[in-house]
């Protein structure tokens, strides 16, 4: 990747599910995980013909145009793809965005552990960390990578003392084992940084993209969780966390 | 005086001045909705009876009954009831609920046809009277129309003209009947008339005659109220009376007139003063107060006018635009939210969601947080509210006591009226410029002396030069058409009841309008930034356009396109203001189509933006369907750029979103909708219709995608445009999105 501007997949000007308030969500290009349920497989590769550059000046202009909608809560969220794949670029953009008065959230899978990513974690206003499975073997099966760096990143953010939201994608048969949900809860229940835990029920709306890309969809036939399945997971998490939100 | 002395006195006691009365006596409310009451058993029973009638009406094809024999007026029908034992607020347009009156003063042929379309026959006696002895508005207009006006009308350049039914849009200050009673109001009108002396110019003679008509109307209203057992010669004393009196004043208007839009005004804060007083005196309980508001709103939901099917195509869904404006700030900065503002919104729960009355929130960032959140909640639950920018309107209109005419147009209550000016098809006006002034569909010459374009790809300067000419021609004839219509309306179908509740010397606006803004904007952007070559038929008329290259489109917060829209609005507004206007009215312009964008589209050939022949325009100032691909905020920002100073009659934007796209849970959704409204109006935008859609709506969107251009579906971390999904995907979204209800 050339060292020019941030490579992005797309922009959502009215983001309401990736952090508090109304947010400008920048979906960056490239991810190191290959989650079996990924609904944006077209954002996984580091280079695609469809991706585009987003210069800092353009990003600042977009934010300025949107400022009145942010109120006290909203701001900018870097999502992906996996934004920390381009951590240096984010770190370069970040001070200027924050200096202009914008709240910045980082929506991440926690898969990259470097000193640059540490610095990002030091500086962003909110980390939204997706801990996809608490069991390393299942995590590997689900994403193609171990959860070791994810847990290290979680612990790192905790020691910064700054706020964090944790996310969990609920996939029947893959991530809904009660024992692992309890273990997930126990791991993070003492974290003072965790303000909110979000359950994202799995959906299969991205399936058509796999067909477009000519790729096999590994969760073919897996149905979204039922209300009951979601409720069970929610009740388990509620034993450990005060604020649990189901998307 | 009796109990009225309990009110704080001020100017209102010396002159007709409702603003002063409400300002002096209103109790602002900053609390939340927890005080509200559910529907009482009486309300439930009465509403069930109404629902039953509404079902019968739908089963009968949309019209339950017509009184084909009576020439309607304020006292033409004996009292009508839904269920006299249950009703707290009395009065119907005819002797039975949902029975429609024929209104031949606008034009008897229309009424005859409407009767026939519904399997009825208009009384031969009425036909005889209105064809032989009493001229109608419609006959007057056609006596005066020029060939050019007829041509513009026929080609669809101007459509929806009020030349065969009532013009509507006038809002009487119906509160006046309750505060003063007819005796005082007649005295004031007599005094106005007496002061109109000196040189008998046309205008003075006209006004003297009109005031006399208004005085007669007040007498008739007194008689009508008496038939229901009330004496409205005196001011109302209780909350029930205040609501009843106000309703009688409005009822007189809708008995007499069948205007497309007949707004109610801004009555909630006025009612609240009486309700607060009765509550404080122990004469009323909260459930009883809510019952009064519920019963009043029920009446407003039963307002009906008889329409031809041609009219229904233009304004579909049998709308009546009983618009009630709620909220805003006084010029002192004090907000105008009362408990009765809440009670009005509560009717959407007690009686279920409904399009009428058209509840409009005059939004300000400074409204109490509690109310903002409650309104957002009601929007999310019912999709029944619209929002308008209070600061913008009160600054431009220089008043803090105003109502909304029809959908979006501000009018100082009781002091300002508008001549409804329908709208002009700007997209078709552009096509005239590309076709030597000829109608692109028929080849009929409309605008003379338009030179042909050079062959090949179009040149922007050439197009703009011709477009300026066709725009000037159309604007002039459009204004003149409206002058004819309103001259005749005043002459043959004068609104004596409504005008009785307005100042004798009113401010008048000519509310003109344009349709097809986003189509023309994108067309000019295409010609400017891409290569657009017309495809022509044997008659050398454009049938399509070949577009090579990309071009910016309106709705993406892209100044390259948005500035074209801004310039267009300014240019057309300037053209309209160049001409003489009947009764020295001030020309105002709207960017508003209601549902006529579909009909306008049908009458318009293919346009240079790639829109196909017959395809619907986007509604109002909305970006064209599916072209606002940069997200909701970018789309809102584009519309917000249109300058309200150039479109004082209003800039309408319709925003549709599913609850999940507003946020993942209800508290987030409410907070985000409040932020969205705060942000949009801080951008100096004028109006927003907010649709937060439920499952039924999504199903409807599958059947009618054109109605939901912006419907957004969040799929956690990513968003999709609902109508772009395949049918199977749409079904999946419906299944998934409504998990919690299945």
């Amino acid at each position: 990747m050339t060292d020019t501007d941030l490579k992005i997949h797309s922009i959502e000007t009215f983001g309401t599910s990736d952090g508090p308030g109304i947010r400008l969500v920048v979906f960056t290009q490239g991810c190191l995980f290959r989650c079996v349920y990924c609904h944006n497989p077209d954002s996984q590769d580091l280079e695609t013909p469809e991706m585009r550059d987003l210069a800092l000046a353009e990003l600042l202009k977009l934010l300025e145009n949107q400022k009145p909608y942010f109120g006290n809560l909203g701001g900018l969220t870097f999502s992906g793809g996996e934004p920390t794949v381009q951590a240096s670029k984010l770190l370069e953009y970040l001070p200027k965005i924050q200096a202009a008065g914008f709240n910045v959230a980082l929506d991440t899978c926690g898969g990259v552990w470097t000193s640059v990513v540490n610095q990002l974690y030091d500086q962003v206003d909110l980390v939204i960390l997706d801990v996809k499975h608490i069991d390393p073997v299942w995590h590997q099966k689900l994403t193609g990578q171990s959860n070791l760096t994810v847990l290290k990143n979680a612990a790192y953010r905790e020691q910064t003392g700054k706020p964090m939201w944790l996310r969990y994608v609920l996939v029947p048969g893959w991530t809904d084992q009660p024992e692992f949900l309890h273990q997930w809860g126990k791991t993070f229940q003492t974290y003072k940084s965790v303000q909110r835990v979000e359950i994202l029920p799995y959906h299969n709306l991205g399936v058509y993209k796999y067909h477009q890309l000519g790729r096999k969809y590994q969760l073919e036939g897996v149905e979204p969780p039922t209300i009951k399945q979601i409720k069970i997971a929610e009740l388990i998490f509620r034993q450990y966390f005060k604020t649990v939100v189901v998307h | 005086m009796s109990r009225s002395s309990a009110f704080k006195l001020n100017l209102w006691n010396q002159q007709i001045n409702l603003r002063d009365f409400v300002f002096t006596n209103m109790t602002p409310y900053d609390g939340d909705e927890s005080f509200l009451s559910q529907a009482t058993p009486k309300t439930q029973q009465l509403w069930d009876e109404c629902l039953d009638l509404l079902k019968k009406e739908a089963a009968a094809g949309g019209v339950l009954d017509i009184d084909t024999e009576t020439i309607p007026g304020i006292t033409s029908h004996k009292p009508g009831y839904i269920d006299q034992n249950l009703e707290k607020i009395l009065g119907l347009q005819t002797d039975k609920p949902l029975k429609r009156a024929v209104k031949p003063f606008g034009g008897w042929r229309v009424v005859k046809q409407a009767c026939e379309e519904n399997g009825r026959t208009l009384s031969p006696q009425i036909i005889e009277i209105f064809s032989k002895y009493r001229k109608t508005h419609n006959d007057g207009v056609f006596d005066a129309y020029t060939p050019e006006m007829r041509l513009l009308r026929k080609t669809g350049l101007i459509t929806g003209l009020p030349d065969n039914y009532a013009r509507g849009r006038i809002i009487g200050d119906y509160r006046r009947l309750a505060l003063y009673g007819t005796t005082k109001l007649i005295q004031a009108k007599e005094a106005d008339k007496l002061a109109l002396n000196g040189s008998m110019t046309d205008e003075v003679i006209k006004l003297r005659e009109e005031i006399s008509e208004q005085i007669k109307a007040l007498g008739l209203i007194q008689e009508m109220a008496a038939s229901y057992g009330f004496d409205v010669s005196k001011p109302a004393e209780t909350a029930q009376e205040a609501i009843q009196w106000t309703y009688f004043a409005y009822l007189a208007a809708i008995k007499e007139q069948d205007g497309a839009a007949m707004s109610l005004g801004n009555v909630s804060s006025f009612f609240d003063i009486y309700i607060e007083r009765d509550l404080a005196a122990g004469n009323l309980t909260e459930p009883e107060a809510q019952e009064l508001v519920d019963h009043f709103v029920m009446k407003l939901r039963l307002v009906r006018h008889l329409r031809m099917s041609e009219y229904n195509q233009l304004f579909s869904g049998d709308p009546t635009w009983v618009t009630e404006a709620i909220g805003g700030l006084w010029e002192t900065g004090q907000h105008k939210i009362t408990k009765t503002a809440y009670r009005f919104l509560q009717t959407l729960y007690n009686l279920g969601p409904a399009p009428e009355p058209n509840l409009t929130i005059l939004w300000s960032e400074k409204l109490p947080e509690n109310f903002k959140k409650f309104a957002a909640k009601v929007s999310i639950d019912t999709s029944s509210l619209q929002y308008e920018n209070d600061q913008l309107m009160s600054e431009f209109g220089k008043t803090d006591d105003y109502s909304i005419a029809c959908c979006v147009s501000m009018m100082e209550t009781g002091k300002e009226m508008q001549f409804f000016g329908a709208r002009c098809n700007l997209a078709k006006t552009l096509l005239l410029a590309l076709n030597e002034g000829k109608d692109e569909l028929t080849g009929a010459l409309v605008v003379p002396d338009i030179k042909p374009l050079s062959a090949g790809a179009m040149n922007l300067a050439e197009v703009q030069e011709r477009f300026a000419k066709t725009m000037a021609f159309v604007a002039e004839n459009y204004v003149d058409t409206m002058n004819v219509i309103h001259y005749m309306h005043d002459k043959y179908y004068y609104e004596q009841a409504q005008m009785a509740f307005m100042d004798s010397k009113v401010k008048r606006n000519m509310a003109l309008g344009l349709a097809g803004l986003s189509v023309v904007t994108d067309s000019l952007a295409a010609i400017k930034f891409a290569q657009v070559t017309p495809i022509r038929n044997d008659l050398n008329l454009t049938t399509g356009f070949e577009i090579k290259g990309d071009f910016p489109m309106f709705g993406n917060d892209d100044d390259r396109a948005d500035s074209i829209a801004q310039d267009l609005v300014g240019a057309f507004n300037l053209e309209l203001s160049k001409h003489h206007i009947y009764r020295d009215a001030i020309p105002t312009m709207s960017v508003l189509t209601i549902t006529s964008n579909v009909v306008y589209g049908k009458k318009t050939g293919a346009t240079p933006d790639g829109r196909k022949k017959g395809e619907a325009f986007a509604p109002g100032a909305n970006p064209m369907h599916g072209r606002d691909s940069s997200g909701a905020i970018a789309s809102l920002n584009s519309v917000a750029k249109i300058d309200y100073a150039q479109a004082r009659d209003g800039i309408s934007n319709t925003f549709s979103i599913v609850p999940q796209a507003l946020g993942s849970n209800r508290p987030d959704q409410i907070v985000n909708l409040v932020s969205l409204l705060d942000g949009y109006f801080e951008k100096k935008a004028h109006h927003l219709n907010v649709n937060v859609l439920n499952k039924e709506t999504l199903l409807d969107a599958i059947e009618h995608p054109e109605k939901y251009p912006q419907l957004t579906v969040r799929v956690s971390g990513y968003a999709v445009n609902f109508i772009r999904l395949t049918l199977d995907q749409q079904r999946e979204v419906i299944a998934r999105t409504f998990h919690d209800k299945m």
Side-chain angles (χ1 to χ4, degrees):
Chain A
M1 196 178 286
T2 54
D3 184 30
T4 50
D5 294 323
L6 191 67
K7 308 289 178 199
I8 67 161
H9 170 270
S10 57
I11 284 173
E12 168 57 62
T13 58
F14 187 63
T16 57
S17 47
D18 301 307
I22 294 174
R23 310 189 75 84
L24 180 76
V25 185
V26 173
F27 297 96
T28 62
Q29 185 67 38
C31 185
L32 65 164
F33 283 8
R34 288 293 176 270
C35 300
V36 289
Y37 50 69
C38 180
H39 57 262
N40 285 334
D42 47 343
S43 72
Q44 289 173 347
D45 289 347
L46 293 176
E47 301 270 348
T48 69
E50 291 81 22
M51 72 176 191
R52 69 176 184 94
D53 289 349
L54 180 66
L56 177 62
E58 190 190 345
L59 179 55
L60 285 169
K61 184 168 182 280
L62 283 169
L63 285 166
E64 210 53 56
N65 286 349
Q66 230 177 296
K67 200 173 191 172
Y69 300 89
F70 291 153
N72 300 326
L73 296 171
L76 170 69
T77 297
F78 288 114
S79 184
E82 169 49 44
T84 58
V85 168
Q86 300 180 65
S88 316
K89 192 49 64 181
L90 295 185
L91 201 57
E92 181 191 319
Y93 283 18
L94 197 59
K96 294 187 179 88
I97 296 165
Q98 288 179 320
F102 296 101
N103 172 294
V104 182
L106 178 72
D107 177 18
T108 175
C109 69
V112 185
W113 173 261
T114 64
S115 64
V116 180
V117 173
N118 287 166
Q119 287 176 62
L120 264 186
Y121 274 54
D122 287 335
Q123 289 179 34
V124 292
D125 300 288
L126 175 70
V127 167
I128 305 169
L129 181 65
D130 199 350
V131 183
K132 293 167 192 292
H133 213 291
I134 202 64
D135 180 66
V137 177
W138 268 105
H139 195 277
Q140 180 86 33
K141 202 173 154 188
L142 203 61
T143 71
Q145 304 273 335
S146 148
N147 64 5
L148 209 67
T149 51
V150 183
L151 298 176
K152 269 163 79 179
N153 273 319
Y156 186 85
R157 179 67 177 183
E158 169 67 6
Q159 62 81 34
T160 66
K162 296 173 87 172
M164 176 158 63
W165 290 8
L166 294 178
R167 286 186 148 177
Y168 194 75
V169 181
L170 190 70
V171 191
W174 289 73
T175 68
D176 63 344
Q177 309 89 340
E179 68 276 23
F180 289 130
L181 291 172
H182 280 288
Q183 196 186 327
W184 197 99
K186 280 174 193 152
T187 307
F188 301 115
Q189 75 178 124
T190 57
Y191 274 45
K192 290 187 179 66
S193 61
V194 175
Q195 292 182 336
R196 162 155 158 159
V197 169
E198 298 188 325
I199 295 173
L200 315 182
Y202 159 76
H203 63 77
N204 44 26
L205 272 178
V207 178
Y208 75 99
K209 291 185 184 170
Y210 284 82
H211 299 152
Q212 279 173 4
L213 293 167
R215 283 168 52 178
K216 185 175 152 37
Y217 186 61
Q218 297 184 60
L219 292 192
E220 208 77 65
V222 174
E223 290 298 315
T226 62
I227 296 175
K228 204 177 156 199
Q229 285 170 321
I230 295 169
K231 198 76 206 167
I232 290 169
E234 187 191 343
L235 288 175
I236 293 174
F237 279 177
R238 280 198 187 283
Q239 295 175 29
Y240 304 99
F241 307 102
K242 210 173 91 192
T243 308
V244 178
V245 172
V246 178
H247 274 237
Chain B
M1 286 181 81
S2 58
R3 291 173 52 185
S4 299
S5 56
F7 295 127
K8 280 185 219 151
L9 302 181
N10 206 341
L11 288 173
W12 67 269
N13 206 40
Q14 300 147 37
Q15 53 181 231
I16 307 292
N17 191 335
L18 262 291
R19 188 257 173 212
D20 180 68
F21 173 75
V22 179
F23 178 76
T24 311
N25 288 284
M26 191 196 93
T27 311
Y29 179 67
D30 290 282
D32 65 15
E33 69 267 34
S34 55
F35 75 92
L36 286 166
S37 284
Q38 308 290 311
T40 61
K42 267 189 178 169
T43 298
Q44 285 174 14
Q45 200 185 329
L46 187 61
W47 184 237
D48 282 346
E49 289 177 29
C50 291
L51 286 175
D52 192 45
L53 285 165
L54 291 167
K55 255 186 223 157
K56 284 182 184 146
E57 185 185 49
V63 174
L64 186 64
D65 198 2
I66 304 172
D67 179 354
T68 56
E69 304 300 314
T70 311
I71 299 170
I74 298 167
T75 53
S76 56
H77 290 85
K78 63 179 172 45
Y81 303 94
I82 306 165
D83 187 333
Q84 204 175 344
N85 298 324
L86 297 173
E87 290 171 79
K88 293 280 176 180
I89 302 298
L90 300 180
L92 294 172
Q93 284 169 287
T94 62
D95 58 348
K96 281 187 185 154
L98 303 182
K99 186 173 177 180
R100 299 177 194 226
V102 293
K103 303 245 166 77
F105 292 95
W108 64 267
R109 290 174 197 87
V110 173
V111 174
K112 179 171 175 278
Q113 191 181 327
C115 287
E116 283 163 7
E117 283 168 0
N118 289 289
R120 310 296 168 94
T121 310
L122 181 61
S123 147
Q125 212 186 345
I126 290 181
I127 296 175
E128 192 188 1
I129 292 168
F130 285 89
S131 55
K132 279 192 184 165
Y133 308 109
R134 177 57 158 88
K135 190 169 174 178
T136 66
H137 164 54
N138 178 248
D139 289 320
V141 169
F142 277 81
D143 280 351
Y145 268 166
T146 64
E148 288 82 7
M149 294 172 187
R150 286 167 191 259
L151 190 58
L152 288 197
R153 196 177 179 274
K154 198 178 160 198
T155 53
L157 275 152
I158 47 180
T159 299
L161 306 174
D163 58 9
N164 56 16
Y165 65 99
R167 58 192 169 189
R169 295 270 188 132
I170 292 170
I171 314 167
D173 187 356
Y174 305 113
R175 302 170 298 183
R176 291 184 182 190
L177 185 62
L179 184 59
Y180 298 109
T182 50
T183 303
K184 260 206 156 156
L185 291 175
I186 290 170
Q187 277 170 11
K189 286 288 176 190
E190 294 284 8
D192 287 347
K193 198 174 148 189
L194 204 62
L196 271 175
N197 45 29
S199 210
M200 281 295 120
T201 60
D202 289 8
E203 187 58 31
V204 171
I205 298 168
K206 201 176 213 170
L207 200 47
R208 286 185 62 86
E209 187 189 13
E210 285 173 355
I211 296 173
S212 302
E213 288 294 317
Q214 295 164 17
I215 293 167
K216 276 183 215 157
L218 289 167
L220 290 171
I221 289 166
Q222 197 177 314
E223 194 182 319
M224 185 253 289
S227 74
Y228 284 98
F230 297 99
D231 178 10
V232 298
S233 67
K234 305 173 298 184
E237 294 293 343
T238 63
Q240 182 164 10
E241 284 183 0
I243 297 173
Q244 179 68 65
W245 270 218
T246 304
Y247 176 61
F248 276 142
Y250 180 71
L251 183 63
I254 55 172
K255 287 182 98 165
E256 190 186 77
Q257 293 278 325
D258 58 349
M262 296 182 70
S263 295
L264 175 66
N266 53 340
V267 303
S268 73
S269 48
F270 175 70
F271 290 171
D272 192 74
I273 295 167
Y274 293 83
I275 292 174
E276 280 295 308
R277 197 176 59 158
D278 284 3
L279 285 169
N283 297 328
L284 195 72
T285 63
E286 181 54 41
E288 286 167 346
Q290 185 64 48
E291 191 174 63
L292 292 174
V293 175
D294 285 344
H295 286 218
F296 174 63
V297 163
M298 250 185 254
K299 286 285 152 70
L300 302 178
R301 290 185 181 192
L302 298 184
V303 176
R304 290 295 181 276
H305 299 296
L306 182 64
R307 308 292 189 196
M308 287 196 301
S309 64
E310 192 185 315
Y311 175 97
N312 290 330
Q313 279 170 25
L314 212 53
F315 306 121
S316 58
D318 212 357
T320 48
W321 287 286
V322 185
T323 306
E324 163 67 6
I326 293 170
L329 306 180
W330 295 111
E331 63 179 6
T332 56
Q334 171 62 53
H335 71 75
K336 294 196 268 178
I337 299 302
T338 63
K339 280 188 169 178
T340 303
Y342 280 86
R343 293 182 186 111
F344 266 77
L345 300 194
Q346 177 73 357
T347 63
L348 292 165
Y349 293 112
N350 287 357
L351 309 176
E356 305 285 354
N358 180 18
L359 296 176
T360 304
I361 308 299
L362 306 178
W363 188 270
S364 162
E365 204 196 336
K366 298 189 184 77
L367 292 184
E369 278 307 309
N370 277 323
F371 182 77
K372 283 157 80 172
K373 285 183 178 167
F374 183 58
K377 176 179 177 286
V378 172
S379 261
I380 293 165
D381 288 338
T382 68
S383 289
S384 299
L385 301 181
Q386 62 169 355
Y387 299 86
E388 296 200 33
N389 189 337
D390 176 60
Q391 194 186 343
L392 203 60
M393 291 188 289
S394 57
E395 273 177 22
F396 275 90
K398 298 186 181 66
T399 175
D400 56 6
D401 185 43
Y402 63 95
S403 304
I404 300 298
C406 183
C407 311
V408 300
S409 318
M410 78 143 334
M411 296 282 110
E412 184 170 8
T413 312
K415 295 175 180 299
E416 188 176 12
M417 63 165 278
Q418 64 171 228
F419 295 132
F420 167 48
R423 47 201 59 85
C424 167
N425 184 339
L426 205 61
K428 206 168 170 84
T429 306
L430 174 65
L431 289 176
L432 289 175
L434 310 183
N435 288 290
E436 299 167 53
K438 292 177 201 155
D439 181 342
E440 77 287 357
L441 299 178
T442 64
L445 183 69
V446 181
V447 187
D449 303 324
I450 303 294
K451 287 191 201 114
L453 289 169
S454 307
M458 288 188 282
N459 167 293
L460 184 67
E462 268 190 30
V463 170
Q464 277 176 328
E465 188 207 332
R466 286 157 183 76
F467 186 34
K469 279 187 186 165
T470 59
M471 206 193 271
F473 179 93
V474 170
E476 182 174 6
N477 283 283
Y478 171 35
V479 171
D480 281 342
T481 304
M482 298 322 305
N483 286 341
V484 168
I485 289 172
H486 290 287
Y487 176 95
M488 294 300 172
H489 200 292
D490 275 350
K491 194 169 176 185
Y492 296 109
Y493 202 3
Y494 181 70
E495 294 89 345
Q496 54 170 354
Q498 286 173 293
M499 300 306 287
F501 299 110
M502 299 192 81
D503 289 3
S504 296
K505 286 186 177 169
V506 289
K507 287 183 268 179
R508 293 185 178 85
N509 299 327
M510 176 69 89
L512 301 154
L514 74 80
L517 179 65
S518 50
V519 172
V520 181
T521 299
D522 291 354
S523 292
L524 293 176
I527 295 168
K528 184 172 179 182
F529 294 99
Q531 292 248 307
V532 185
T533 311
I535 301 163
R536 297 183 185 273
N537 63 13
D538 301 346
L539 297 167
N540 206 31
L541 301 172
T542 54
T543 56
F545 295 87
E546 191 188 283
I547 306 166
K548 276 188 194 156
D550 293 332
F551 58 94
M553 296 175 194
F554 184 62
N556 296 289
D557 202 5
D558 183 333
D559 285 336
R560 292 176 302 160
D562 300 346
S563 63
I564 296 176
Q566 290 171 310
D567 292 348
L568 274 170
V569 170
F572 195 59
N573 189 39
L574 183 66
E575 279 305 328
L576 295 173
S577 61
K578 285 179 182 170
H579 307 288
H580 160 74
I581 297 190
Y582 174 61
R583 289 189 103 166
D584 295 323
I586 295 162
T588 56
M589 189 180 81
S590 67
V591 188
L592 166 78
T593 58
I594 313 172
T595 52
S596 66
N597 56 310
V598 178
V599 169
Y600 276 104
K602 275 187 188 152
K603 293 185 175 187
T604 306
T607 39
D609 57 334
R611 181 193 140 276
K612 294 189 181 66
K613 177 188 166 186
E615 211 174 285
F617 297 170
N622 274 62
M624 239 339 234
H625 310 149
R627 291 187 196 159
D628 44 347
S629 52
S630 308
I633 301 279
S635 177
L636 291 172
N637 278 353
S638 283
V639 180
K641 285 177 198 168
I642 298 169
D643 187 0
Y644 179 65
Q646 300 291 341
R648 284 287 313 284
D649 202 50
I651 302 155
S652 171
N653 191 6
T654 300
F655 182 78
S656 307
I657 194 161
V658 297
Q660 282 72 11
L662 267 180
S664 47
N665 56 43
R666 184 49 60 96
D668 283 359
Q669 289 166 2
I670 290 170
V671 167
N672 288 340
L673 183 52
V674 168
S675 297
L676 180 98
L677 291 164
D678 277 343
Y680 186 57
F681 292 131
E682 195 183 321
K683 288 266 179 182
K684 298 197 185 300
H686 175 236
H687 162 265
L688 196 66
N689 260 323
V690 177
N691 291 316
V692 185
L693 300 147
N694 51 26
K695 178 182 172 182
E696 288 68 33
T697 321
L698 289 174
L699 288 167
D700 191 46
I702 292 179
E703 296 297 319
H704 305 286
E706 72 281 359
K707 282 159 64 183
Y708 305 95
Q710 273 188 297
L711 185 53
T712 310
V713 196
R714 293 286 326 180
V715 286
S716 54
Y718 206 57
V720 286
N721 187 305
F722 184 77
I723 59 169
R724 289 182 169 183
L725 294 170
T726 65
L727 187 58
D728 285 346
Q729 287 170 341
Q730 288 174 329
R731 285 186 178 140
E732 203 280 336
V733 169
I734 287 167
R736 188 182 64 82
T737 307
F738 297 94
H739 252 149
D740 53 341
K741 287 185 186 165
M742 288 164 72

